[in-house]
Amino acid sequence: MNERIRVSWDEYFMNIAREVATRSTCSRKHVGAVIVRDRTILSTGYNGSVRGLPHCDDAGHMMEDGHCVRTLHAEANAIIQAAKNGTRIDGAAIYVTASPCWSCFKTIANAGLQKIFFGEFYRDQRIFEMSSELGIALLDLSGAPPASTPPA
């Protein structure tokens, strides 16, 4: 008998975020985001160029301080898509394949999202202290053992 193991809701939504990331148009980092409330997907986003402008994959990267700035990040795109479609996301959770950068963290906080699930740590330590201060749950789904301090 072939026994199927049903994934948890967190794994399910993170798996969808990973699939959303396959739409990314910047080869430097493929990131996907899914905004969820009550086990229902409200919005998705991936890192990609401004609507109507060329993608990194087509026109090359636009580099500043070692980072490509041609694209909007997945979290911002998911929040923008929700706003564009009139979808209320206040109090919802976001699943992101990589932890938010500082700018995206601030956007998430101001959008009223209450939980951030991430699949890998990505470069900005400030989110750990600020999420605690703001009462935003920041949950690591990478499967890495918990550390006493945030990743370096």
Side-chain angles (χ1 to χ4, degrees), residues 50-124:
V50 173
R51 189 180 303 266
L53 294 180
H55 300 290
C56 296
D57 292 350
D58 301 324
H61 301 289
M62 186 182 293
M63 301 300 291
E64 281 183 14
D65 298 325
H67 303 289
C68 181
V69 296
R70 183 181 295 280
T71 63
L72 278 83
H73 288 185
E75 305 93 323
N77 273 327
I79 291 167
I80 290 165
Q81 180 181 332
K84 188 173 180 190
N85 292 315
T87 303
R88 187 179 69 80
I89 60 173
D90 189 48
I94 188 167
Y95 291 79
V96 190
T97 57
S99 62
C101 70
W102 181 236
S103 181
C104 285
F105 175 82
K106 293 184 292 182
T107 302
I108 288 167
N110 273 7
L113 298 174
Q114 294 298 301
K115 291 183 181 179
I116 302 169
F117 296 87
F118 65 92
E120 70 174 89
F121 175 72
Y122 180 65
R123 88 174 171 209
D124 205 314

Side-chain angles (χ1 to χ4, degrees), residues 4 6 12-13 19-21 23 25 35 40 45-46 57 62 80 82 95 99 105 124 126 131 142 145 152:
R4 187 184 79 128
R6 191 172 185 196
Y12 172 73
F13 291 122
E19 189 63 29
V20 170
R23 291 285 305 154
T25 61
I35 299 176
T40 301
Y46 54 86
D57 292 350
M62 186 182 293
I80 290 165
Y95 291 79
S99 62
F105 175 82
D124 205 314
R126 293 175 286 191
S131 64
S142 69

Side-chain angles (χ1 to χ4, degrees), residues 134-152:
L134 292 168
I136 297 172
L138 188 59
L139 304 150
D140 183 348
L141 297 181
S142 69
S148 58
T149 58

